[in-house]
Structures are given as structure tokens and as C-alpha cells.
Amino acid sequence: MRDSQNGFLGVAHLVSAWHSEAGLVLGQVKTAVKSNEIMAIPELLDVLDLKGATITMDAMGCQHKTVEKIIAKQADYSVAVKNNQQLLAQAVESLFTNVDAGVREGRLLQDITLDKDHGRLETRRCVVSRAGFERDGRAGIEAWPGLKSVIMIEATREFISGREKEKSKSKPSTEWRYYISSHSFDASEFNRKVRAHWSIENSCHWVLDMSFREDDCRIRTSDGAENFAILMRIAMNMIKREKSTR
């Protein structure tokens, strides 16, 4: 991005709102110069009608002011938790130190799904805690407005056939992800919503990169990059709504 007075300002970063069920981009905001996505997310929320919606965000959006804005606009949230909120991350992880015992005792709810695709088997275990943790005094949890559930996703992947199995000499890989939410869904619903959140990668980012070749765009002057990005997303929305032909 280049400005006539200040010269080269760097790459333009955009924050987009994605409707996972409709598969459409609802809006976008460009991060200001010398700012970042954390500051841009509340700006985007301000221009959207959120009443009754569930907003899902990665850990970048795990900020007190962002969550407060969502609650104030009569919406709900499910937000990823990482070490950018260290106290919260430690408190959340401590709720899942003995998952099997918690499930047996009824303190934790769980849902397990198996997905097989392209020679890969993925086991997703969603575990939910919502039994009075907001009153147990854990530092980092009680301060989050509207918080009703804490979620852990345990995802295990292994190759079971094809070339990838031959190339892969390692054992199945497992990763753990954590979320906080203002909802009181059961584990199966949280499992579905967390997975739906990542539809933006294949249905939006991949399409813009591979079909629209957005990363190859060399528009640099003034607001040109942002304006062209808006046009590409409008075009993508229109194409997705066109059902008469593929």
C-alpha cells in the first residue's frame, strides 16, 4: 500500500465477517496504519446487525472490549483462547486436567465425532464445562462478561490409506484447542459450531486466493487495494448466490 505523501505503508490487512451457513462475506474493515486486527474487529462489529447471532473468532478476538461489545449488541460469542490471554488460558486448561473422570461424574459433557476423508481419519472430541466455574474464583475466568461455557476440542488425525500414509512415518497427531462462550449448548452443538467457524478457510480465503488470485494482486496506491478487495468479495458473493449453473 502506497500513500502519495508518506510513501510505502506496507501490506493492507483486512478483517472480514463471514456467514458460515450462507457462505457469504457480510462486511470488511481495513486495519488502520500503525494499528492491527485487534483494533479493527470492534469497528467491523459496529456496522453489523448482530442481534441474535453467534460470533465466532480466533484468539485475536479474545479481548474484553470485543466480548463486551458483542454482548451489548444482544449477540453471543464463542472465542478461541490462547496465551495472548495468559490468566484465562491457564484457568481454562485447568478445567480439563482429568477429562475422563469429569465425564463419568457428570461435571463435563462430551461429544465425539469421526470423519474420514482423502485417506485421513480425524477424531474430534468436544468437552464442555459449564457447572458453576464462574463462581469458583478462578483468576481470569470470572471477569469475562456473559461467560457460560468453556470448551476443549481434542483433534486426533491419522492417515489410514493412500500416498500420505506411505509418506508419513509418524504416529497419529493430536492437538488441543480451547474456547469460551456465552452459550449453554450441549457438546455436540459446540462441536458443530467450532468446525463451522473454520469454513472461512476453504470457502472464502482459498477461493479468493486460488480462483480470484488475490495474493497476486499488485494494486498499491491509496485505497485501491481495499476497494478492489471489496469488489472481489461482492463478486464472490454473487457467484455463490447464482444456482442456475456451476
Side-chain angles (χ1 to χ4, degrees), residues 139-223:
I141 285 186
E142 70 278 358
W144 290 81
L147 180 59
K148 295 179 181 177
S149 300
V150 176
I151 305 100
M152 180 190 77
I153 300 290
E154 179 186 87
T156 301
R157 298 180 180 88
E158 61 180 309
F159 294 105
I160 57 177
S161 64
R163 292 182 178 179
E164 295 300 330
K165 181 181 180 180
E166 296 176 5
K167 291 191 296 183
S168 176
K169 303 299 182 182
S170 61
K171 296 180 180 180
S173 62
T174 302
E175 64 178 9
W176 292 265
R177 298 190 295 274
Y178 300 91
Y179 301 82
I180 57 173
S181 178
S182 61
H183 272 302
S184 296
F185 292 136
D186 59 24
S188 62
E189 184 66 7
F190 274 124
N191 212 353
R192 187 187 71 82
K193 286 191 176 296
V194 169
R195 183 157 194 153
H197 168 81
W198 295 106
S199 67
I200 191 172
E201 296 297 332
N202 292 330
S203 300
C204 179
H205 295 160
W206 189 89
V207 172
L208 289 169
D209 185 24
M210 302 304 294
S211 298
F212 288 82
R213 302 184 68 83
E214 184 176 50
D215 287 351
D216 293 334
C217 179
R218 292 295 177 263
I219 298 175
R220 295 288 185 270
T221 304
S222 189
D223 295 323

Coordinates of all heavy atoms in Angstrom, one line a residue, residues 139-223:
A139 N -8.9 -17.1 38.8 CA -8.5 -15.9 38.2 C -8.5 -16.0 36.7 O -8.1 -17.0 36.1 CB -7.1 -15.6 38.7
G140 N -9.0 -15.0 36.1 CA -9.0 -15.0 34.6 C -10.3 -15.4 34.0 O -10.5 -15.2 32.8
I141 N -11.2 -16.1 34.7 CA -12.4 -16.6 34.1 C -13.6 -15.7 34.5 O -14.4 -15.3 33.6 CB -12.7 -18.1 34.5 CG1 -11.8 -19.0 33.8 CG2 -14.2 -18.4 34.2 CD1 -12.1 -20.5 34.0
E142 N -13.7 -15.4 35.7 CA -15.0 -14.7 36.2 C -15.1 -13.3 35.6 O -16.2 -12.7 35.6 CB -15.0 -14.7 37.7 CG -14.0 -13.7 38.4 CD -12.6 -14.4 38.5 OE1 -12.4 -15.5 38.1 OE2 -11.7 -13.6 38.9
A143 N -14.1 -12.7 35.1 CA -14.1 -11.3 34.6 C -14.7 -11.2 33.2 O -15.0 -10.1 32.7 CB -12.7 -10.7 34.6
W144 N -15.0 -12.3 32.5 CA -15.4 -12.3 31.1 C -17.0 -12.2 31.1 O -17.6 -13.1 31.6 CB -14.9 -13.5 30.3 CG -13.4 -13.3 30.1 CD1 -12.5 -13.7 31.0 CD2 -12.8 -12.8 29.0 NE1 -11.2 -13.4 30.5 CE2 -11.4 -12.9 29.3 CE3 -13.2 -12.3 27.8 CZ2 -10.4 -12.4 28.4 CZ3 -12.2 -11.9 26.9 CH2 -10.9 -11.9 27.2
P145 N -17.5 -11.1 30.5 CA -19.0 -10.9 30.6 C -19.7 -12.0 29.8 O -19.3 -12.4 28.7 CB -19.1 -9.5 29.9 CG -17.9 -9.3 29.1 CD -16.8 -10.0 29.8
G146 N -20.8 -12.4 30.4 CA -21.7 -13.4 29.7 C -21.2 -14.8 29.6 O -21.9 -15.6 29.0
L147 N -20.0 -15.1 30.2 CA -19.4 -16.4 30.0 C -20.3 -17.5 30.7 O -20.5 -17.4 31.9 CB -18.0 -16.4 30.6 CG -17.2 -17.7 30.5 CD1 -17.1 -18.1 29.0 CD2 -15.9 -17.5 31.1
K148 N -20.6 -18.5 29.9 CA -21.4 -19.6 30.4 C -20.8 -21.0 30.2 O -21.1 -21.9 30.9 CB -22.8 -19.6 29.8 CG -23.7 -18.4 30.1 CD -25.0 -18.5 29.5 CE -25.9 -17.2 29.8 NZ -27.2 -17.3 29.0
S149 N -19.9 -21.1 29.2 CA -19.3 -22.4 28.9 C -17.9 -22.2 28.5 O -17.5 -21.2 27.9 CB -20.1 -23.0 27.7 OG -21.4 -23.3 28.0
V150 N -17.1 -23.2 28.9 CA -15.7 -23.3 28.5 C -15.6 -24.7 27.7 O -16.1 -25.7 28.2 CB -14.8 -23.3 29.7 CG1 -13.3 -23.5 29.3 CG2 -14.9 -22.0 30.4
I151 N -14.9 -24.6 26.6 CA -14.8 -25.8 25.7 C -13.4 -26.2 25.4 O -12.6 -25.3 25.2 CB -15.6 -25.4 24.3 CG1 -17.0 -24.9 24.6 CG2 -15.6 -26.6 23.4 CD1 -17.1 -23.4 24.6
M152 N -13.2 -27.5 25.3 CA -11.9 -28.0 24.8 C -12.2 -28.9 23.6 O -13.1 -29.7 23.6 CB -11.3 -28.9 25.9 CG -9.9 -29.5 25.4 SD -9.2 -30.7 26.5 CE -10.3 -32.2 26.2
I153 N -11.5 -28.7 22.5 CA -11.5 -29.6 21.4 C -10.2 -30.4 21.3 O -9.2 -29.8 21.2 CB -11.7 -28.8 20.0 CG1 -13.0 -28.0 20.1 CG2 -11.7 -29.7 18.8 CD1 -14.3 -28.8 20.0
E154 N -10.4 -31.7 21.3 CA -9.2 -32.6 21.1 C -9.3 -33.2 19.8 O -10.2 -34.0 19.5 CB -9.2 -33.6 22.3 CG -8.1 -34.6 22.2 CD -8.2 -35.7 23.2 OE1 -8.9 -36.7 22.9 OE2 -7.6 -35.6 24.3
A155 N -8.4 -32.9 18.9 CA -8.5 -33.4 17.5 C -7.3 -34.3 17.2 O -6.1 -33.9 17.3 CB -8.5 -32.2 16.5
T156 N -7.6 -35.5 16.8 CA -6.5 -36.5 16.5 C -6.7 -36.9 15.1 O -7.7 -37.3 14.6 CB -6.7 -37.8 17.4 OG1 -6.6 -37.4 18.8 CG2 -5.6 -38.8 17.1
R157 N -5.5 -36.8 14.3 CA -5.5 -37.1 12.9 C -4.5 -38.2 12.6 O -3.4 -38.2 13.2 CB -5.2 -35.9 12.1 CG -6.1 -34.7 12.2 CD -5.7 -33.5 11.4 NE -6.6 -32.4 11.5 CZ -6.5 -31.5 12.5 NH1 -5.6 -31.5 13.4 NH2 -7.4 -30.5 12.5
E158 N -4.9 -39.1 11.7 CA -4.0 -40.2 11.3 C -4.4 -40.5 9.8 O -5.5 -40.4 9.4 CB -4.1 -41.4 12.2 CG -5.5 -42.0 12.2 CD -5.5 -43.3 13.1 OE1 -4.6 -44.1 12.9 OE2 -6.4 -43.4 13.9
F159 N -3.3 -40.9 9.1 CA -3.5 -41.3 7.7 C -3.7 -42.8 7.7 O -3.0 -43.6 8.3 CB -2.3 -41.0 6.8 CG -2.1 -39.5 6.7 CD1 -1.1 -38.8 7.4 CD2 -3.0 -38.8 5.8 CE1 -1.0 -37.4 7.2 CE2 -2.8 -37.4 5.7 CZ -1.8 -36.7 6.4
I160 N -4.8 -43.3 7.0 CA -5.1 -44.7 7.0 C -5.0 -45.4 5.7 O -5.1 -46.6 5.5 CB -6.6 -44.9 7.6 CG1 -7.6 -44.1 6.7 CG2 -6.6 -44.5 9.0 CD1 -9.0 -44.3 7.1
S161 N -4.8 -44.6 4.6 CA -4.6 -45.2 3.3 C -4.0 -44.1 2.4 O -3.8 -43.0 2.7 CB -6.0 -45.6 2.7 OG -6.8 -44.5 2.5
G162 N -3.5 -44.6 1.2 CA -3.0 -43.7 0.2 C -1.6 -43.3 0.3 O -0.9 -43.8 1.2
R163 N -1.1 -42.4 -0.5 CA 0.2 -41.9 -0.5 C 0.6 -41.3 0.8 O 1.8 -41.4 1.2 CB 0.5 -41.0 -1.7 CG 0.4 -41.6 -3.1 CD 0.7 -40.5 -4.1 NE 0.6 -41.1 -5.4 CZ 0.8 -40.4 -6.6 NH1 1.1 -39.1 -6.5 NH2 0.8 -41.0 -7.7
E164 N -0.3 -40.5 1.4 CA 0.0 -39.8 2.6 C 0.4 -40.8 3.7 O 1.3 -40.5 4.5 CB -1.1 -38.9 3.1 CG -1.5 -37.8 2.1 CD -0.3 -36.9 1.9 OE1 0.5 -36.7 2.8 OE2 -0.2 -36.3 0.8
K165 N -0.2 -42.0 3.8 CA 0.1 -42.9 4.8 C 1.5 -43.5 4.5 O 2.3 -43.7 5.5 CB -0.9 -44.1 4.8 CG -0.6 -45.1 5.8 CD -1.6 -46.3 5.8 CE -1.2 -47.3 6.9 NZ -2.1 -48.4 6.9
E166 N 1.9 -43.7 3.2 CA 3.2 -44.2 2.9 C 4.3 -43.1 3.2 O 5.4 -43.5 3.7 CB 3.3 -44.5 1.4 CG 2.3 -45.7 1.0 CD 2.3 -45.9 -0.5 OE1 3.1 -45.3 -1.2 OE2 1.5 -46.7 -0.9
K167 N 4.0 -41.9 3.0 CA 5.0 -40.8 3.3 C 5.1 -40.5 4.8 O 6.1 -40.1 5.2 CB 4.6 -39.5 2.5 CG 4.7 -39.6 1.0 CD 4.6 -38.3 0.4 CE 3.2 -37.7 0.6 NZ 3.0 -36.4 -0.1
S168 N 4.0 -40.7 5.5 CA 4.0 -40.4 6.9 C 4.5 -41.5 7.7 O 3.9 -42.6 7.8 CB 2.6 -40.0 7.4 OG 2.6 -39.7 8.7
K169 N 5.6 -41.3 8.4 CA 6.2 -42.4 9.3 C 5.8 -42.1 10.8 O 6.2 -42.9 11.6 CB 7.7 -42.4 9.1 CG 8.1 -42.7 7.7 CD 7.7 -44.0 7.2 CE 8.2 -44.2 5.8 NZ 7.7 -45.5 5.2
S170 N 5.1 -41.0 11.0 CA 4.9 -40.6 12.4 C 3.6 -41.2 12.9 O 2.7 -41.7 12.1 CB 4.8 -39.1 12.5 OG 3.7 -38.6 11.7
K171 N 3.4 -41.2 14.2 CA 2.2 -41.7 14.8 C 1.0 -40.6 14.6 O 1.3 -39.5 14.2 CB 2.4 -41.9 16.3 CG 3.4 -43.0 16.6 CD 3.6 -43.2 18.1 CE 4.6 -44.3 18.3 NZ 4.9 -44.6 19.8
P172 N -0.2 -41.0 14.9 CA -1.3 -40.0 14.9 C -1.0 -38.8 15.7 O -0.4 -38.9 16.8 CB -2.5 -40.8 15.5 CG -2.2 -42.2 15.2 CD -0.7 -42.4 15.3
S173 N -1.3 -37.6 15.2 CA -1.0 -36.4 15.8 C -2.3 -35.9 16.5 O -3.4 -36.0 16.0 CB -0.6 -35.3 14.8 OG -1.5 -35.1 13.8
T174 N -2.1 -35.3 17.7 CA -3.2 -34.7 18.5 C -3.0 -33.3 18.9 O -1.8 -33.0 19.2 CB -3.5 -35.6 19.7 OG1 -3.7 -36.9 19.4 CG2 -4.7 -35.0 20.5
E175 N -4.0 -32.4 18.7 CA -3.8 -31.1 19.2 C -5.1 -30.7 20.0 O -6.2 -31.3 19.8 CB -3.7 -30.1 18.0 CG -4.8 -30.0 17.1 CD -4.6 -29.0 16.0 OE1 -3.4 -28.5 15.9 OE2 -5.5 -28.7 15.2
W176 N -4.9 -29.8 20.9 CA -5.9 -29.3 21.8 C -6.2 -27.8 21.6 O -5.3 -27.0 21.5 CB -5.6 -29.6 23.3 CG -5.5 -31.0 23.6 CD1 -6.5 -31.8 24.2 CD2 -4.3 -31.9 23.4 NE1 -6.0 -33.1 24.3 CE2 -4.7 -33.2 23.9 CE3 -3.1 -31.7 22.9 CZ2 -3.9 -34.3 23.9 CZ3 -2.2 -32.8 22.9 CH2 -2.6 -34.1 23.4
R177 N -7.5 -27.5 21.5 CA -7.8 -26.1 21.3 C -8.9 -25.7 22.4 O -9.7 -26.6 22.7 CB -8.4 -25.8 19.9 CG -7.3 -26.0 18.8 CD -7.8 -25.5 17.5 NE -9.0 -26.2 17.0 CZ -8.9 -27.3 16.3 NH1 -7.7 -27.9 16.0 NH2 -10.0 -27.9 15.9
Y178 N -8.9 -24.5 22.8 CA -9.8 -24.1 23.9 C -10.6 -22.9 23.5 O -10.1 -22.0 22.8 CB -9.0 -23.8 25.2 CG -8.2 -25.0 25.7 CD1 -6.9 -25.2 25.3 CD2 -8.8 -25.9 26.5 CE1 -6.2 -26.3 25.7 CE2 -8.1 -27.0 27.0 CZ -6.7 -27.2 26.5 OH -6.0 -28.3 27.0
Y179 N -11.8 -22.8 24.0 CA -12.8 -21.7 23.7 C -13.6 -21.3 24.9 O -13.8 -22.1 25.8 CB -13.7 -22.2 22.6 CG -13.1 -22.6 21.3 CD1 -12.6 -23.9 21.2 CD2 -12.9 -21.7 20.2 CE1 -12.0 -24.3 20.0 CE2 -12.3 -22.1 19.1 CZ -11.8 -23.4 19.0 OH -11.2 -23.8 17.8
I180 N -14.0 -20.1 24.9 CA -15.0 -19.6 25.9 C -16.2 -19.2 25.1 O -16.2 -18.7 24.0 CB -14.5 -18.4 26.8 CG1 -14.0 -17.2 25.9 CG2 -13.4 -18.9 27.7 CD1 -13.7 -16.0 26.7
S181 N -17.4 -19.3 25.8 CA -18.7 -19.0 25.1 C -19.7 -18.4 26.0 O -19.8 -18.8 27.2 CB -19.2 -20.2 24.3 OG -20.4 -19.9 23.7
S182 N -20.6 -17.6 25.5 CA -21.7 -17.1 26.2 C -22.9 -18.0 26.1 O -24.0 -17.7 26.6 CB -22.1 -15.7 25.8 OG -22.4 -15.7 24.4
H183 N -22.8 -19.1 25.3 CA -23.9 -20.1 25.1 C -23.8 -21.2 26.1 O -22.8 -21.4 26.7 CB -23.8 -20.7 23.7 CG -24.5 -19.9 22.6 ND1 -25.8 -19.6 22.7 CD2 -24.0 -19.3 21.5 CE1 -26.1 -18.9 21.6 NE2 -25.1 -18.7 20.9
S184 N -24.9 -21.9 26.2 CA -25.0 -23.1 27.1 C -25.4 -24.3 26.2 O -26.2 -25.2 26.6 CB -26.1 -22.9 28.2 OG -25.7 -21.9 29.1
F185 N -24.8 -24.4 25.0 CA -25.1 -25.5 24.1 C -24.6 -26.8 24.8 O -23.7 -26.8 25.6 CB -24.4 -25.3 22.8 CG -24.9 -24.2 22.0 CD1 -24.0 -23.3 21.3 CD2 -26.3 -24.0 21.8 CE1 -24.5 -22.3 20.5 CE2 -26.8 -23.0 21.1 CZ -25.9 -22.1 20.4
D186 N -25.1 -27.9 24.2 CA -24.5 -29.2 24.6 C -23.2 -29.4 23.8 O -22.9 -28.6 22.9 CB -25.5 -30.4 24.4 CG -26.0 -30.5 22.9 OD1 -25.3 -30.0 22.0 OD2 -27.1 -31.1 22.7
A187 N -22.5 -30.5 24.1 CA -21.2 -30.7 23.4 C -21.3 -30.9 21.9 O -20.4 -30.4 21.2 CB -20.5 -31.9 24.1
S188 N -22.3 -31.6 21.5 CA -22.5 -31.8 20.0 C -22.7 -30.5 19.2 O -22.1 -30.3 18.1 CB -23.6 -32.8 19.7 OG -24.8 -32.2 20.2
E189 N -23.4 -29.6 19.8 CA -23.6 -28.3 19.1 C -22.4 -27.5 19.1 O -22.0 -26.8 18.1 CB -24.8 -27.5 19.8 CG -25.2 -26.2 19.1 CD -25.8 -26.4 17.8 OE1 -26.0 -27.5 17.4 OE2 -26.0 -25.4 17.1
F190 N -21.6 -27.4 20.2 CA -20.4 -26.7 20.2 C -19.4 -27.3 19.2 O -18.7 -26.6 18.5 CB -19.7 -26.7 21.6 CG -20.2 -25.6 22.5 CD1 -20.8 -25.9 23.7 CD2 -20.1 -24.3 22.1 CE1 -21.2 -24.9 24.5 CE2 -20.5 -23.3 22.9 CZ -21.1 -23.5 24.1
N191 N -19.4 -28.7 19.1 CA -18.5 -29.3 18.2 C -18.8 -28.9 16.7 O -17.9 -28.6 15.9 CB -18.7 -30.9 18.3 CG -17.4 -31.6 18.0 OD1 -16.4 -31.1 17.6 ND2 -17.5 -32.9 18.2
R192 N -20.1 -28.8 16.4 CA -20.5 -28.4 15.1 C -20.2 -26.9 14.8 O -19.6 -26.6 13.8 CB -22.0 -28.6 14.9 CG -22.5 -28.3 13.5 CD -24.0 -28.3 13.5 NE -24.6 -27.2 14.1 CZ -24.8 -26.0 13.5 NH1 -24.3 -25.8 12.3 NH2 -25.3 -25.0 14.2
K193 N -20.4 -26.0 15.8 CA -20.1 -24.6 15.6 C -18.7 -24.3 15.5 O -18.3 -23.4 14.7 CB -20.8 -23.8 16.7 CG -22.3 -23.7 16.6 CD -22.9 -22.7 17.5 CE -24.4 -22.6 17.3 NZ -24.7 -22.1 16.0
V194 N -17.8 -24.9 16.3 CA -16.4 -24.7 16.2 C -15.9 -25.1 14.8 O -15.1 -24.5 14.1 CB -15.6 -25.5 17.3 CG1 -14.1 -25.5 17.0 CG2 -15.9 -24.8 18.6
R195 N -16.4 -26.3 14.3 CA -16.0 -26.7 13.0 C -16.5 -25.8 11.9 O -15.8 -25.5 10.9 CB -16.5 -28.1 12.7 CG -16.1 -28.7 11.4 CD -16.1 -30.2 11.4 NE -15.3 -30.7 10.3 CZ -14.8 -31.9 10.2 NH1 -14.8 -32.6 11.3 NH2 -14.1 -32.3 9.2
A196 N -17.7 -25.3 12.0 CA -18.3 -24.3 11.0 C -17.5 -23.1 11.0 O -17.3 -22.4 9.9 CB -19.7 -24.0 11.4
H197 N -16.9 -22.7 12.1 CA -16.1 -21.4 12.1 C -14.9 -21.5 11.1 O -14.6 -20.5 10.4 CB -15.4 -21.2 13.5 CG -14.4 -20.2 13.5 ND1 -14.7 -18.8 13.6 CD2 -13.0 -20.3 13.5 CE1 -13.5 -18.1 13.6 NE2 -12.5 -19.0 13.6
W198 N -14.3 -22.7 10.9 CA -13.2 -22.8 10.0 C -13.6 -23.0 8.6 O -12.7 -23.1 7.7 CB -12.3 -23.9 10.5 CG -11.7 -23.7 11.8 CD1 -12.0 -24.2 13.0 CD2 -10.7 -22.7 12.1 NE1 -11.3 -23.7 14.0 CE2 -10.5 -22.7 13.5 CE3 -9.9 -21.8 11.3 CZ2 -9.5 -21.9 14.1 CZ3 -9.0 -21.0 12.0 CH2 -8.8 -21.0 13.3
S199 N -14.9 -22.9 8.3 CA -15.3 -22.9 6.8 C -14.8 -21.7 6.1 O -14.7 -21.8 4.9 CB -16.8 -23.0 6.7 OG -17.4 -21.8 7.2
I200 N -14.4 -20.7 6.8 CA -13.9 -19.5 6.1 C -12.6 -19.8 5.4 O -12.3 -19.1 4.4 CB -13.7 -18.3 7.2 CG1 -13.4 -17.0 6.4 CG2 -12.6 -18.6 8.2 CD1 -13.4 -15.8 7.3
E201 N -11.8 -20.7 5.9 CA -10.5 -21.1 5.3 C -10.7 -21.6 3.9 O -10.1 -21.1 2.9 CB -9.8 -22.0 6.1 CG -9.4 -21.5 7.5 CD -8.4 -20.3 7.4 OE1 -7.7 -20.2 6.4 OE2 -8.4 -19.5 8.3
N202 N -11.6 -22.6 3.7 CA -11.8 -23.2 2.4 C -12.8 -22.5 1.5 O -12.6 -22.4 0.3 CB -12.3 -24.7 2.6 CG -11.2 -25.6 3.2 OD1 -10.0 -25.3 3.0 ND2 -11.6 -26.6 3.9
S203 N -13.9 -22.0 2.1 CA -14.9 -21.4 1.4 C -14.7 -19.9 1.0 O -15.4 -19.4 0.1 CB -16.3 -21.6 2.1 OG -16.6 -22.9 2.3
C204 N -13.8 -19.3 1.7 CA -13.6 -17.8 1.5 C -12.1 -17.6 1.1 O -11.8 -17.2 0.0 CB -14.0 -17.0 2.7 SG -13.7 -15.2 2.5
H205 N -11.2 -17.8 2.1 CA -9.8 -17.5 1.8 C -9.2 -18.3 0.6 O -8.5 -17.7 -0.2 CB -9.0 -17.8 3.1 CG -9.3 -16.9 4.2 ND1 -9.0 -17.2 5.5 CD2 -10.0 -15.7 4.2 CE1 -9.5 -16.2 6.3 NE2 -10.1 -15.3 5.6
W206 N -9.5 -19.6 0.6 CA -9.0 -20.4 -0.5 C -9.5 -20.0 -1.9 O -8.8 -19.9 -2.8 CB -9.3 -21.9 -0.3 CG -8.6 -22.8 -1.2 CD1 -7.4 -23.4 -1.0 CD2 -9.1 -23.3 -2.5 NE1 -7.1 -24.2 -2.1 CE2 -8.2 -24.1 -3.0 CE3 -10.3 -23.0 -3.2 CZ2 -8.3 -24.8 -4.3 CZ3 -10.5 -23.6 -4.4 CH2 -9.5 -24.5 -5.0
V207 N -10.8 -19.6 -1.9 CA -11.5 -19.2 -3.2 C -10.9 -17.9 -3.6 O -10.5 -17.7 -4.8 CB -13.0 -19.1 -3.0 CG1 -13.6 -18.4 -4.2 CG2 -13.6 -20.4 -2.7
L208 N -10.7 -16.9 -2.7 CA -10.1 -15.6 -3.1 C -8.7 -15.8 -3.6 O -8.3 -15.1 -4.5 CB -10.2 -14.7 -1.9 CG -11.6 -14.2 -1.5 CD1 -11.5 -13.5 -0.1 CD2 -12.1 -13.2 -2.6
D209 N -7.9 -16.7 -3.0 CA -6.5 -16.9 -3.3 C -6.4 -17.6 -4.7 O -5.7 -17.2 -5.6 CB -5.8 -17.6 -2.2 CG -4.3 -17.7 -2.5 OD1 -3.8 -16.9 -3.3 OD2 -3.7 -18.6 -2.0
M210 N -7.1 -18.8 -4.8 CA -6.9 -19.7 -5.9 C -7.8 -19.2 -7.1 O -7.3 -19.3 -8.3 CB -7.3 -21.1 -5.5 CG -6.4 -21.6 -4.4 SD -4.6 -21.5 -4.7 CE -4.5 -22.7 -6.1
S211 N -9.0 -18.9 -6.9 CA -9.9 -18.5 -8.0 C -9.8 -17.0 -8.4 O -9.7 -16.7 -9.6 CB -11.4 -18.8 -7.7 OG -11.5 -20.2 -7.5
F212 N -9.6 -16.2 -7.4 CA -9.5 -14.7 -7.7 C -8.1 -14.2 -7.7 O -7.8 -13.1 -8.0 CB -10.4 -13.9 -6.7 CG -11.9 -14.1 -6.9 CD1 -12.6 -15.2 -6.4 CD2 -12.6 -13.1 -7.6 CE1 -13.9 -15.3 -6.6 CE2 -13.9 -13.2 -7.7 CZ -14.6 -14.3 -7.2
R213 N -7.2 -15.1 -7.3 CA -5.7 -14.8 -7.2 C -5.5 -13.5 -6.5 O -4.7 -12.6 -6.9 CB -5.2 -14.7 -8.6 CG -5.3 -16.0 -9.4 CD -4.7 -16.0 -10.8 NE -3.2 -15.9 -10.7 CZ -2.5 -17.0 -10.5 NH1 -3.0 -18.2 -10.4 NH2 -1.2 -16.9 -10.4
E214 N -6.1 -13.4 -5.3 CA -6.0 -12.1 -4.5 C -4.6 -11.8 -4.1 O -4.1 -10.7 -4.1 CB -6.9 -12.2 -3.3 CG -7.0 -10.9 -2.5 CD -8.0 -11.0 -1.4 OE1 -7.9 -12.0 -0.6 OE2 -8.8 -10.0 -1.2
D215 N -3.8 -12.9 -3.7 CA -2.5 -12.7 -3.2 C -1.5 -12.2 -4.3 O -0.5 -11.6 -4.0 CB -1.9 -14.0 -2.7 CG -2.5 -14.4 -1.3 OD1 -3.3 -13.5 -0.8 OD2 -2.3 -15.5 -0.8
D216 N -1.9 -12.4 -5.6 CA -1.1 -11.9 -6.7 C -1.4 -10.4 -7.1 O -0.7 -9.9 -8.0 CB -1.2 -12.8 -7.9 CG -0.7 -14.2 -7.7 OD1 0.2 -14.3 -6.8 OD2 -1.1 -15.1 -8.3
C217 N -2.4 -9.9 -6.5 CA -2.8 -8.5 -6.8 C -1.7 -7.5 -6.5 O -1.1 -7.6 -5.4 CB -4.1 -8.1 -6.1 SG -4.7 -6.5 -6.5
R218 N -1.4 -6.6 -7.4 CA -0.3 -5.7 -7.2 C -0.8 -4.2 -7.1 O 0.0 -3.3 -7.3 CB 0.7 -5.8 -8.4 CG 1.5 -7.1 -8.4 CD 2.4 -7.2 -7.1 NE 3.1 -8.5 -7.0 CZ 2.6 -9.5 -6.3 NH1 1.5 -9.4 -5.6 NH2 3.3 -10.6 -6.2
I219 N -2.1 -4.0 -6.8 CA -2.6 -2.7 -6.6 C -2.0 -2.2 -5.3 O -2.2 -2.8 -4.2 CB -4.1 -2.7 -6.6 CG1 -4.7 -3.2 -7.9 CG2 -4.7 -1.3 -6.3 CD1 -6.2 -3.3 -8.0
R220 N -1.4 -1.0 -5.3 CA -0.7 -0.5 -4.1 C -1.1 0.9 -3.8 O -0.8 1.4 -2.7 CB 0.8 -0.5 -4.4 CG 1.4 -1.9 -4.5 CD 1.4 -2.6 -3.2 NE 2.0 -3.9 -3.3 CZ 1.4 -5.1 -3.6 NH1 0.1 -5.1 -3.8 NH2 2.1 -6.2 -3.7
T221 N -1.7 1.7 -4.7 CA -1.9 3.1 -4.5 C -3.1 3.4 -3.7 O -4.2 2.9 -3.9 CB -2.0 3.8 -5.8 OG1 -0.8 3.5 -6.6 CG2 -2.1 5.3 -5.7
S222 N -2.9 4.3 -2.7 CA -4.0 4.8 -1.9 C -5.0 3.7 -1.4 O -4.6 2.8 -0.8 CB -4.8 5.9 -2.7 OG -5.7 6.6 -1.9
D223 N -6.3 3.9 -1.7 CA -7.3 3.0 -1.2 C -7.6 1.9 -2.3 O -8.6 1.2 -2.1 CB -8.6 3.7 -0.8 CG -8.4 4.6 0.4 OD1 -7.7 4.2 1.3 OD2 -9.0 5.7 0.4

